[in-house]
Amino acid sequence: MNSFKKFLAKTTATQLIRVSFSRPALLENPAFLILMNRVFSAMAPSYDRLWQRMGTEAEVLGPLEAGLSRVAPPPDWVLDLACGTGLATFHVHGSFLKAQVVAADLSERMVRILRQKLEESDAGPLHALCCHSGALPFGAGCFDLVLTQNAPPYLEEMVRVLRPGGSLLLAYSFVVPGAVHGVIRKRFTGVGLEDLEIAAAGHGIAVTARRPRGELR
Ligand SMILES: C[S@@+](CC[C@H](N)C(=O)[O-])C[C@H]1O[C@@H](n2cnc3c(N)ncnc32)[C@H](O)[C@@H]1O
């Protein structure tokens, strides 16, 4: 991708991230959910090719990799929210081969493509399902690691399904440096997460935090 397109990707993504953290109620707006579903379902068949044009694998997945390197001990159960066609899902599976990895997305078409890839790759303990990140069909505290890459942050639900002491990871491949730290810090503190770290990686950032072992504030 040339530098102008990269600049455009960074500025657009930065504004979307700012809005999604500063106005979380917007993420639950039914019209917003319909829009997301339609846009990404339309994009699903060409989604992988699109990402290949955005940059090298190292550029796109750099922030995710930086975030995963901070996750210890290795998780048993991982949830990859808004997984799309599984770009992050397969990477997480490669990093934690023994973990059960559950991938979920709002768009049925995205999930269908991921399921097809799973069948073809025989990749191991990976599971795909269709659901809204803001209303997950899991009980409280089921996962050791909950993550999402380049997607809206449904923080309350992510924290609910995370076990006490578990890790949360948000990876954004393209962000203007320093432009979103304030809104992210405020939201993370608001939901009671600890050990927040926002690290620059590649053209983006990795945001990691931990659910406290005791009661949430
Ligand atoms: C830019 S794509 C990122 C996909 C994938 N995480 C990746 O890194 O390639 C955003 C994804 O978020 C999904 N999405 C948007 N809103 C969602 C929601 N409320 N619940 C679950 N998935 C959602 C879309 O369907 C789309 O697959």
Side-chain angles (χ1 to χ4, degrees):
M1 193 165 56
N2 67 35
S3 53
F4 176 69
K5 283 189 184 159
K6 238 164 222 159
F7 167 77
L8 210 59
K10 273 190 185 184
T11 47
T12 309
T14 300
Q15 290 313 320
L16 290 172
I17 295 166
R18 283 184 71 89
V19 171
S20 67
F21 277 95
S22 57
R23 298 178 185 271
L26 175 72
L27 305 187
E28 290 298 348
N29 183 307
F32 176 78
L33 290 174
I34 291 171
L35 180 71
M36 284 285 121
N37 199 356
R38 290 209 180 147
V39 167
F40 285 106
S41 292
M43 224 182 248
S46 47
Y47 189 77
D48 287 350
R49 278 196 304 277
L50 191 87
W51 269 115
Q52 280 154 13
R53 282 199 220 118
M54 292 292 280
T56 62
E57 194 170 304
E59 282 178 319
V60 174
L61 291 169
L64 177 72
E65 208 156 294
L68 290 175
S69 70
R70 292 184 48 80
V71 175
D76 292 327
W77 280 90
V78 180
L79 177 61
D80 175 21
L81 288 174
C83 60
T85 58
L87 190 65
T89 316
F90 285 101
H91 202 71
V92 172
H93 170 62
S95 302
F96 305 115
L97 284 170
K98 288 189 180 147
Q100 298 283 336
V101 181
V102 180
D105 199 279
L106 184 66
S107 159
E108 182 71 55
R109 279 183 101 184
M110 287 284 194
V111 173
R112 223 178 297 143
I113 293 171
L114 174 56
R115 285 204 181 116
Q116 201 174 329
K117 284 189 192 173
L118 293 181
E119 276 167 28
E120 286 163 6
S121 70
D122 193 21
L126 298 176
H127 319 270
L129 76 142
C130 185
C131 69
H132 164 36
S133 299
L136 297 171
F138 307 112
C142 293
F143 294 94
D144 306 298
L145 167 64
V146 179
L147 67 110
T148 192
Q149 174 175 262
N150 297 325
Y154 288 86
L155 280 193
E156 281 79 1
E157 220 17 23
M158 293 177 93
V159 172
R160 184 184 70 77
V161 298
L162 199 56
R163 73 160 166 77
S167 300
L168 186 139
L169 162 58
L170 306 181
Y172 296 104
S173 302
F174 296 97
V175 186
V176 174
V180 291
H181 289 39
V183 280
I184 292 178
R185 206 167 282 285
K186 194 168 169 196
R187 261 293 271 150
F188 270 61
T189 310
V191 294
L193 286 158
E194 292 179 342
D195 298 341
L196 172 66
E197 178 160 316
I198 307 174
H203 296 284
I205 52 170
V207 184
T208 50
R210 221 167 258 288
R211 182 182 161 148
R213 287 187 190 280
E215 289 290 302
L216 280 171
R217 268 178 286 127

